[in-house]
């Protein structure tokens, strides 16, 4: 690419309580920078200090430094603070968040969003002939976001949600689910992890009958196979081959295992390099939302104009010996694996 380099700012907490996480994501970005080896692309890390004020200041520094694209920050409050600055400057941001309330109007959430997760397992269930769905979710922002996506995806996929419950107490919610109106359900989504997930699965098993358990990416936990009630449950997760290569490369270069979200920094930096080539001096917004998407270490993904994203995830089944893949991640966005859509 000729002319001035395409400047990209990387907003991370390099100091403060989350400095170690910021350093790990910066390491991942450096790996991507090395792999792309594009002299027409420059990456400037800027410290957010892990605060909203620091994120806003970092965004102002990025704007003043002539950045054409901003990557990061990580946490939703920082994304919202920095996003106010980048929107005013009409500079797109690709943030490492799953909070869609922080996205839109030029701010893109790169994290694995609830909609992509539930769309993948619902599509799998519909392909197996399941039409009647139920849901259990914690009574919090995460639970409500998952259920909102689930309702839309199930409807789009031609199924119906016959019962759903939000809970504080899991066992009581399962009893309400069993006693509720709407008829029997063939599958139930449990949007939780840890002890609450185990309790919910045990309580559902206690109801009797055959019910397919569905999960979210929170189920990507190698210890879940020790809970008999969860064996046979399905959950979405990125394809492992590319991710494992990234982990091995990171460990080789930095003598440590990367945190789970480090792959977002790698993919965002590689994405920025592609956008730099495709933009050729034009505003990068159109290149960012290319409907053909991009290939990342966590599978294919594409950024949507509304600030959300769509990801190609595999479906995994819990077994006593660990999770096994039962349906591969799609290789293109034409795949029926996307079922309920974006």
């Amino acid at each position: 690419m000729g002319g001035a380099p395409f400047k990209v700012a990387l907003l991370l907490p390099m100091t403060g309580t989350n400095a170690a996480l910021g350093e790990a994501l910066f390491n991942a970005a450096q790996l991507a920078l090395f792999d792309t080896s594009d002299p027409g692309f420059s990456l400037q890390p800027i410290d957010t200090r892990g605060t909203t004020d620091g994120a806003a200041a970092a965004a102002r520094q990025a704007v003043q430094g002539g950045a054409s694209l901003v990557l990061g920050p990580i946490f939703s409050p920082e994304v919202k603070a920095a996003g106010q600055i980048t929107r005013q400057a009409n500079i797109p941001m690709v943030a490492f968040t799953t909070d869609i309330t922080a996205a839109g109007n030029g701010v893109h959430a790169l994290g694995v969003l609830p909609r992509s997760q539930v769309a993948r397992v619902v599509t799998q269930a519909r392909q197996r002939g399941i039409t009647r769905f139920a849901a259990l979710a914690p009574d919090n922002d995460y639970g409500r976001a998952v259920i909102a996506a689930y309702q839309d995806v199930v409807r789009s996929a031609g199924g119906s949600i016959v019962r759903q419950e939000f809970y504080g107490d899991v066992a009581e919610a399962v009893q309400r689910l069993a006693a509720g109106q709407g008829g029997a359900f063939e599958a139930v989504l449990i949007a939780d992890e840890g002890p609450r997930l185990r309790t919910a699965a045990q309580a559902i098993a206690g109801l009797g009958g055959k019910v397919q358990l569905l999960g979210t990416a929170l189920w990507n936990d190698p210890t879940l196979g020790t809970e008999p009630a969860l064996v046979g449950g399905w959950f979405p997760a990125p394809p492992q081959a590319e991710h494992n290569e990234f982990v091995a490369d990171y460990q080789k270069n930095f003598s440590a295992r990367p945190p789970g979200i480090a792959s977002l920094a790698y993919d965002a930096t590689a994405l920025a390099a592609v956008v730099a080539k495709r933009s050729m001096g034009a505003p990068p917004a159109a290149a960012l939302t290319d409907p053909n998407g991009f290939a990342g270490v966590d599978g294919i993904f594409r950024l949507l104009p509304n600030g959300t994203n769509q990801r190609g995830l595999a479906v995994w089944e819990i077994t006593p010996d660990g999770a096994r893949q039962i349906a591969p991640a799609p290789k293109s966005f034409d795949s029926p694996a996307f079922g309920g859509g974006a």
Side-chain angles (χ1 to χ4, degrees), residues 97-124:
T97 183
T98 59
D99 183 5
I100 60 174
T101 69
N105 297 318
V107 175
H108 300 273
L110 188 60
V112 183
L113 302 180
R115 187 176 181 105
S116 285
Q117 297 174 43
V118 299
R120 189 65 185 95
V121 290
V122 167
T123 299
Q124 179 70 13

Side-chain angles (χ1 to χ4, degrees), residues 53-170:
D53 287 345
R60 282 190 288 270
Q61 184 178 337
V63 171
Q64 293 165 2
S68 295
L69 175 64
V70 172
L71 308 181
I74 303 172
F75 302 108
S76 177
E78 296 174 45
V79 174
K80 291 178 178 178
Q84 292 180 353
I85 308 301
T86 58
R87 286 186 181 105
Q88 291 172 0
N90 200 31
I91 297 173
M93 172 190 289
V94 178
F96 310 137
T97 183
T98 59
D99 183 5
I100 60 174
T101 69
N105 297 318
V107 175
H108 300 273
L110 188 60
V112 183
L113 302 180
R115 187 176 181 105
S116 285
Q117 297 174 43
V118 299
R120 189 65 185 95
V121 290
V122 167
T123 299
Q124 179 70 13
R126 290 290 294 116
Q127 289 174 340
R128 298 290 182 92
I130 292 172
T131 61
R132 300 175 67 80
F133 295 81
L136 282 169
D139 190 10
N140 57 27
D141 289 344
Y142 171 76
R144 285 185 286 274
V146 171
I147 296 307
Y150 187 60
Q151 291 171 333
D152 196 21
V153 165
V154 168
R155 184 168 51 249
S156 297
S160 61
I161 296 181
V162 296
R163 304 182 198 177
Q164 68 178 48
E165 289 289 341
F166 292 100
Y167 57 77
D169 183 285
V170 179

Side-chain angles (χ1 to χ4, degrees), residues 12 14 19-29 246 250 254 257-259 262 265:
L12 293 172
M14 306 305 291
L21 181 60
E23 180 182 5
L25 267 66
F26 180 50
N27 289 343
F246 162 72
Y250 187 102
F254 303 108
R257 186 176 180 84

Side-chain angles (χ1 to χ4, degrees), residues 112-291:
V112 183
L113 302 180
R115 187 176 181 105
S116 285
Q117 297 174 43
V118 299
R120 189 65 185 95
V121 290
V122 167
T123 299
Q124 179 70 13
R126 290 290 294 116
Q127 289 174 340
R128 298 290 182 92
I130 292 172
T131 61
R132 300 175 67 80
F133 295 81
L136 282 169
D139 190 10
N140 57 27
D141 289 344
Y142 171 76
R144 285 185 286 274
V146 171
I147 296 307
Y150 187 60
Q151 291 171 333
D152 196 21
V153 165
V154 168
R155 184 168 51 249
S156 297
S160 61
I161 296 181
V162 296
R163 304 182 198 177
Q164 68 178 48
E165 289 289 341
F166 292 100
Y167 57 77
D169 183 285
V170 179
E172 290 180 2
V174 172
Q175 292 304 313
R176 293 196 302 271
L177 198 74
Q181 300 299 311
F185 49 88
E186 301 163 278
V188 57
L189 177 81
I190 308 175
D192 215 331
E193 61 184 335
R196 291 190 304 270
L197 170 58
R198 293 171 183 266
T199 298
Q202 291 165 3
I204 290 170
L207 299 177
K210 174 62 176 175
V211 175
Q212 178 62 54
L213 299 185
L214 308 176
T216 68
L218 294 178
W219 287 29
N220 195 6
D221 174 354
T223 71
L224 293 185
T226 62
E227 171 51 61
L230 283 167
V231 170
W234 301 338
F235 67 92
Q240 291 300 296
E242 294 86 350
H243 185 85
N244 289 343
E245 289 179 10
F246 162 72
V247 170
D249 194 21
Y250 187 102
Q251 289 178 311
K252 176 182 176 181
N253 283 275
F254 303 108
S255 301
R257 186 176 180 84
I261 67 168
S263 58
L264 296 181
Y266 182 99
D267 280 352
T269 305
L271 164 68
V274 172
V275 168
K277 293 177 181 177
R278 293 182 183 178
S279 297
M280 298 298 290
L288 279 172
T289 56
D290 184 339

